[in-house]
Amino acid sequence: MSAFSRGCFLRLRFASKTCHPLQTFSFKSAQPRLLSSSTILRAVKKSPVKQSTTTAKIAPIPSKIPVSSIPYQSFAASLAQKTYTTTLYEAPSHRWYIWTSYGAASFFAIYASYVIYVYMDAPEGVPVWVPYVFGGCGFAMAIFAARLTLNVAGLVKSINAIPKSVLMASKNPAIARSAAKGPDLTIEVELRKMFPIPFFPARKLYAEPSEIVIPHSLAPPAVVLSPSELRARERQEEARHKKELEYEQSHIMSAGLRHASRAFFTLFTNARRAWTREGFMDLKVKKRFYKMDVLGGYALDNGRAIDRLVTIKKNAR
């Protein structure tokens, strides 16, 4: 019995010695492992990361640019820096005006010649005062003929702004030599030929912008329109053109009469302009006057380009 009990005690003691490390491991593993108790986090806590406090410095942007730092360039200087000719004005066709003036002048010249030839030596039986009266009428007709003929003289065909570099590259040596001593910008005024004679070039005048004078501004007064008003005006123009085209296409038989009516109206309008010189403005170039048509044609920037270059003086004459 005692031997049996000693054997059991030894077995229990041996079992307890062999199981002790297992119990110790399981006990330690059973403890709660808080995040704050980890060695890695403790090391992190001991050496905290330093945040960078340096920021990029941005240069202050000036709210306003000083006016003195902006280089000023006139319109004439900007045109002088170009490498090509700038068209400032292009006159409309004066075919009907020239034909009307020459036709009326021819009629008055023929009538004056006939009256002077017939009544200079009056036949017998004619009162004494008749040759003087008809002589005066013939003289007046000759004056009318001369005035109508001079309507065609001095008509401006085009106005161009030519830089100095373009003139110096001209094939004409005289123009190139004069351009070398001239200004940076030259205004070329081309006149219309009085007679359509072939192989004779049109006359051209060259002057500085300050040597050209006009009596009033070419550009009309500025009218400020809202976007809605501009769109409404464009719609009205489109509707008008569409209506005219539809009428032209639907009335083909009477198209010839309409075109003839427009031609006669143009003829009478130019006849009136031949007598009254309506729609022509005096253009003074180097103390001489020429006629510039302002009722049609093309003008750069609606005429504002010429206004910015030349001199505007009311009493130019």
Side-chain angles (χ1 to χ4, degrees), residues 149-171:
T149 304
L150 292 177
N151 283 342
V152 187
L155 282 178
V156 177
K157 183 180 180 181
S158 64
I159 300 176
N160 302 316
I162 308 178
K164 184 177 182 179
S165 59
V166 177
L167 286 176
M168 292 182 65
S170 176
K171 297 180 180 179

Side-chain angles (χ1 to χ4, degrees), residues 220-231:
V223 179
V224 181
L225 299 177
S226 62
S228 59
E229 292 176 345
L230 288 175
R231 289 192 294 269

Side-chain angles (χ1 to χ4, degrees), residues 47-180:
S47 59
V49 179
K50 295 182 180 180
Q51 296 180 354
S52 177
T53 58
T54 59
T55 57
K57 294 183 179 181
I58 302 174
I61 301 174
S63 58
K64 292 183 179 179
I65 301 175
V67 180
S68 59
S69 63
I70 301 176
Y72 174 75
Q73 189 179 27
S74 64
F75 183 62
S78 63
L79 291 178
Q81 292 178 358
K82 295 183 178 181
T83 57
Y84 53 87
T85 302
T86 303
T87 301
L88 302 177
Y89 169 79
E90 190 74 28
S93 176
H94 292 135
R95 180 173 57 239
W96 285 99
Y97 178 77
I98 293 173
W99 288 0
T100 304
S101 298
Y102 280 151
S106 300
F107 170 77
F108 285 115
I110 292 172
Y111 183 82
S113 301
Y114 174 77
V115 168
I116 292 174
Y117 175 76
V118 171
Y119 291 96
M120 282 295 293
D121 187 12
E124 296 181 0
V126 176
V128 180
W129 57 269
V130 172
Y132 295 100
V133 171
F134 278 92
C137 291
F139 183 73
M141 294 295 177
I143 293 176
F144 292 158
R147 185 185 184 279
L148 291 172
T149 304
L150 292 177
N151 283 342
V152 187
L155 282 178
V156 177
K157 183 180 180 181
S158 64
I159 300 176
N160 302 316
I162 308 178
K164 184 177 182 179
S165 59
V166 177
L167 286 176
M168 292 182 65
S170 176
K171 297 180 180 179
N172 191 341
I175 295 177
R177 284 194 302 268
S178 62

Side-chain angles (χ1 to χ4, degrees), residues 228-297:
S228 59
E229 292 176 345
L230 288 175
R231 289 192 294 269
R233 179 175 291 185
E234 291 177 358
R235 287 195 295 267
Q236 290 178 359
E237 290 292 330
E238 291 178 358
R240 184 177 64 85
H241 286 300
K242 185 178 180 181
K243 185 177 180 181
E244 291 178 356
L245 182 61
E246 290 178 354
Y247 184 85
E248 191 74 20
Q249 293 177 351
S250 59
H251 297 76
I252 300 177
M253 299 299 295
S254 59
L257 296 176
R258 288 195 305 272
H259 296 167
S261 175
R262 293 172 187 170
F264 279 112
F265 179 77
T266 304
L267 178 65
F268 287 122
T269 302
N270 285 278
R272 183 187 64 195
R273 295 186 69 189
W275 285 104
T276 62
R277 295 184 178 178
E278 175 188 354
F280 289 98
M281 184 181 68
D282 290 333
L283 181 72
K284 185 178 180 181
V285 183
K286 292 183 177 181
K287 299 181 181 181
R288 295 196 64 178
F289 290 91
Y290 303 93
K291 295 184 287 293
M292 182 178 177
D293 194 349
V294 295
L295 291 184

Side-chain angles (χ1 to χ4, degrees), residues 75-76 79 88-89 159-161 185-189 207-219 281-286 292 303-313:
F75 183 62
L79 291 178
L88 302 177
Y89 169 79
I159 300 176
N160 302 316
L185 183 68
T186 303
I187 304 299
E188 178 194 67
V189 180
E208 298 183 17
S210 59
E211 295 177 338
I212 300 176
V213 182
I214 56 177
H216 55 80
S217 176
L218 286 177
M281 184 181 68
D282 290 333
L283 181 72
K284 185 178 180 181
V285 183
K286 292 183 177 181
M292 182 178 177
R304 294 182 182 88
I306 297 180
D307 295 342
R308 296 170 66 181
L309 289 173
V310 304
T311 303
I312 300 176
K313 187 177 180 181

